């Protein structure tokens, strides 16, 4: 098993983004080194292979010495045939040469940034507490990473302030040569408080994805070249072609492969549930990982399947998306409800399936001529 651990060593952040999904009830404080060691030990007891996503809040607030400790502790267990990989999801503002040198030396910590588009768009939502936009600092650090041979992808959150600009978003990320994943607004935490200003409908999100797909596909076909990777497109194409779902939103096994651990050791199914007490699975200081994964709440979540989500069992795309994200469902109604972005996905699934089918027919025709 390759377990993915979303570790939030702190929920503190130096930005004040208008759509932050973190709940007010999430743990405070910062992860101690003793708790860090205990966390890595218990994960190593449970599995041989693990991918660690250091998240937040802003994980770089922990400082470089924290991540040096991560590396040292993981190296101890590597000698016992345990395998680790690491990614840090950061807002980018705190990247410095110490971090860059560390990443180059270890060759094991990959960085992902959060960028919502060009400056005029990004600065509408990703701001400091004084309302100043963060774009200038983020793009400067992104270019610094690139000059030092560290390629970083980005997450772009789609909400009302950027949903009308698929062309601008595509050309920005293409011009900066940044692979990007477009995520819809998560309706929890601060985003809920600002939902009247930032909220989007499934139809809006579906139309955005379709417009973006057409722009992307036309560009690739015209130049016969893939300039950047865009998700969810890459994942969905793979899902349609192989019927083997990729991406946590569509995975049938996310309840088996993901857990989240907070700054005080509390365990949740994934980072989006942090602070929602009904989804608390235990604490790494008191429980083994096996106990948490076999907890009553996680067993309940594993019972969310195509067969018991209304309208999903007979859907043509059921095996591609597996009822979508359970946290999205929870924010809308309950975990056994349909992902509210279901209609968005279908708009895109249908169009992408047409493209795959037409390409398949073309290849078949070429073969028949030879």
């Amino acid at each position: 098993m390759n377990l993915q651990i979303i570790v939030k060593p702190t929920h503190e952040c130096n930005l004040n983004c208008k759509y932050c999904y973190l709940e007010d009830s999430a743990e405070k404080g910062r992860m101690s080194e003793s708790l860090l060691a205990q966390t890595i030990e218990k994960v190593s007891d449970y599995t041989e292979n693990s991918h660690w996503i250091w998240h937040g809040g802003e994980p770089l607030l922990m400082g470089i010495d924290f991540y040096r400790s991560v590396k040292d502790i993981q190296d101890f267990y590597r000698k016992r045939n345990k395998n680790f990989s690491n990614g840090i999801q950061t807002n980018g503002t705190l990247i410095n040469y110490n971090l860059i040198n560390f990443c180059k030396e270890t060759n094991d910590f990959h960085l992902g940034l959060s960028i919502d588009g060009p400056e005029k768009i990004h600065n509408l939502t990703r701001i400091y507490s004084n309302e100043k936009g963060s774009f200038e600092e983020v793009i400067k650090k992104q270019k610094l990473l690139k000059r030092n041979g560290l390629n970083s992808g980005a997450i772009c959150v789609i909400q009302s302030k950027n949903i009308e600009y698929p062309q601008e978003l595509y050309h920005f990320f293409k011009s900066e040569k940044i692979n990007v994943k477009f995520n819809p607004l998560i309706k929890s935490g601060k985003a809920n408080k600002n939902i009247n200003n930032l909220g989007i409908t499934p139809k809006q999100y579906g139309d955005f994805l379709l417009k973006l797909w057409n722009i992307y596909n036309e560009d690739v076909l015209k130049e016969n070249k893939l300039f950047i990777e865009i998700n969810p497109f890459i994942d969905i194409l793979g899902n349609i072609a192989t019927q083997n779902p990729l991406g946590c939103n569509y995975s049938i096994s996310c309840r088996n492969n993901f857990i989240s651990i907070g700054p005080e050791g509390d365990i949740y199914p994934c980072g989006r549930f942090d602070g929602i007490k009904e989804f608390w699975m235990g604490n790494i200081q008191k429980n083994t990982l096996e106990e948490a994964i076999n907890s009553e709440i996680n067993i309940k979540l594993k019972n969310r399947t195509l067969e018991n989500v209304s309208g999903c069992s007979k859907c043509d795309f059921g095996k591609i998306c597996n009822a979508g994200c359970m946290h999205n469902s929870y924010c809308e109604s309950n975990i056994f409800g349909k992902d509210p972005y279901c209609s968005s996905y279908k708009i895109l699934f249908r169009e992408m399936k047409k493209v795959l089918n037409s390409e398949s027919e073309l290849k078949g025709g070429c073969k028949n001529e030879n």
Side-chain angles (χ1 to χ4, degrees), residues 142-161:
Q142 191 275 330
K143 291 179 185 295
L144 181 63
L145 291 174
K146 190 174 291 186
R147 287 200 300 273
N148 282 273
L150 297 175
N151 293 322
S152 58
I155 288 175
C156 176
V157 176
I158 299 303
Q159 27 71 30
S160 67
K161 303 300 181 184

Side-chain angles (χ1 to χ4, degrees), residues 2 58 85-86 95 109 118 121-122 130 150 172 217 228 304 318:
N2 187 1
E58 173 46 53
S85 59
N86 297 276
I95 291 170
F109 282 74
I121 297 175
H122 177 99
N130 64 2
L150 297 175
F172 166 76
N217 191 45
I228 57 172
R304 184 184 184 270

Side-chain angles (χ1 to χ4, degrees), residues 5-15 17 19-24 26-31 52-62 66-67 87-92 94 112-114 126 155 186 188-189 259-263 268 270-275:
I5 303 97
I6 302 165
V7 186
K8 299 191 173 186
T10 179
H11 286 130
E12 298 170 14
C13 190
N14 63 320
L15 293 188
C17 299
Y19 54 67
C20 180
Y21 67 78
L22 190 66
E23 298 289 352
D24 292 338
E27 302 163 76
K28 311 303 179 187
R30 298 189 181 187
M31 181 174 280
W52 297 68
I53 304 167
W54 303 92
H55 210 292
E58 173 46 53
L60 294 186
L61 284 171
M62 298 299 294
F66 178 84
Y67 295 100
I88 300 176
Q89 184 62 38
T90 170
N91 62 41
L94 300 178
L113 307 183
S114 294
R126 301 195 63 81
I155 288 175
I186 299 172
S188 65
I259 60 163
S260 175
I261 300 174
Y268 290 92
C270 82
R272 295 183 177 189
F273 285 102
D274 283 14

Side-chain angles (χ1 to χ4, degrees), residues 156 158 162-167 169-170 180-184 200-217 230-233 236 249-250 341-349 351-352:
C156 176
I158 299 303
N162 62 6
I163 200 166
E164 299 298 330
Y165 303 102
Q167 188 92 29
L169 292 176
Y170 174 67
V180 59
K181 180 179 182 181
F182 292 98
N183 285 342
I200 57 175
T201 67
K203 175 71 164 54
Q204 285 177 305
Y205 182 54
D207 288 344
F208 166 83
L209 290 175
L210 184 56
K211 289 174 185 175
L212 184 66
W213 163 251
N214 288 333
I215 295 165
Y216 179 60
N217 191 45
I230 292 183
N231 262 316
F233 300 157
I236 293 172
N249 275 11
Y250 315 114
Y341 290 113
C342 170
S343 58
S344 311
Y345 306 147
K346 285 182 178 179
I347 291 172
L348 187 60
F349 291 164
E351 189 62 28
M352 295 178 86

Side-chain angles (χ1 to χ4, degrees), residues 38-289:
Q38 196 172 14
T39 300
I40 296 174
E41 177 187 14
K42 290 197 174 182
V43 170
S44 298
D45 287 343
Y46 182 77
T47 183
E48 291 185 357
N49 304 300
S50 54
H51 177 63
W52 297 68
I53 304 167
W54 303 92
H55 210 292
E58 173 46 53
L60 294 186
L61 284 171
M62 298 299 294
I64 192 62
D65 287 344
F66 178 84
Y67 295 100
R68 289 196 177 105
S69 294
V70 170
K71 176 71 166 57
D72 290 344
I73 298 167
Q74 289 181 350
D75 282 348
F76 174 81
Y77 289 100
R78 282 189 173 98
K79 295 174 183 176
R80 301 184 179 187
N81 297 317
K82 305 295 183 178
N83 301 307
F84 303 88
S85 59
N86 297 276
I88 300 176
Q89 184 62 38
T90 170
N91 62 41
T93 60
L94 300 178
I95 291 170
N96 56 32
Y97 279 106
N98 284 336
L99 177 69
I100 288 171
N101 291 335
F102 171 75
C103 291
K104 291 170 72 173
E105 289 164 8
T106 63
N107 196 32
D108 187 40
F109 282 74
H110 303 282
L111 300 173
L113 307 183
S114 294
I115 307 175
D116 278 359
E119 185 169 11
K120 66 177 183 178
I121 297 175
H122 177 99
N123 283 346
L124 294 173
T125 50
R126 301 195 63 81
I127 58 176
Y128 291 95
S129 294
N130 64 2
E131 300 288 322
K132 179 186 175 184
S134 62
F135 179 85
E136 184 178 353
E137 192 67 23
V138 175
I139 203 66
K140 180 173 74 173
K141 299 301 176 64
Q142 191 275 330
K143 291 179 185 295
L144 181 63
L145 291 174
K146 190 174 291 186
R147 287 200 300 273
N148 282 273
L150 297 175
N151 293 322
S152 58
I155 288 175
C156 176
V157 176
I158 299 303
Q159 27 71 30
S160 67
K161 303 300 181 184
N162 62 6
I163 200 166
E164 299 298 330
Y165 303 102
Q167 188 92 29
E168 289 86 344
L169 292 176
Y170 174 67
H171 287 293
F172 166 76
F173 288 108
K174 176 186 171 183
S175 66
E176 297 293 340
K177 296 182 173 62
I178 302 173
N179 294 332
V180 59
K181 180 179 182 181
F182 292 98
N183 285 342
L185 182 78
I186 299 172
K187 297 177 181 178
S188 65
K190 195 180 295 181
N192 253 344
K193 298 174 184 176
N194 292 320
I195 200 68
N196 290 336
N197 293 323
L198 298 177
I200 57 175
T201 67
K203 175 71 164 54
Q204 285 177 305
Y205 182 54
D207 288 344
F208 166 83
L209 290 175
L210 184 56
K211 289 174 185 175
L212 184 66
W213 163 251
N214 288 333
I215 295 165
Y216 179 60
N217 191 45
E218 181 181 342
D219 200 29
V220 171
L221 290 175
K222 182 174 68 175
E223 301 292 338
N224 195 28
K225 180 179 179 181
L226 186 68
F227 295 95
I228 57 172
E229 291 186 3
I230 292 183
N231 262 316
F233 300 157
I234 299 299
D235 281 350
I236 293 172
L237 285 170
N239 295 354
I240 294 172
T242 66
Q243 300 285 297
N244 181 27
L246 301 171
C248 66
N249 275 11
Y250 315 114
S251 173
I252 196 170
S253 60
C254 77
R255 276 74 76 198
N256 296 323
N257 294 347
F258 285 84
I259 60 163
S260 175
I261 300 174
E264 298 295 331
D266 284 339
I267 306 170
Y268 290 92
C270 82
R272 295 183 177 189
F273 285 102
D274 283 14
I276 306 175
K277 297 307 179 185
E278 65 184 283
F279 296 100
W280 182 82
M281 294 163 54
N283 186 286
I284 203 71
Q285 299 180 84
K286 300 175 183 177
N287 302 102
T288 66
L289 210 54

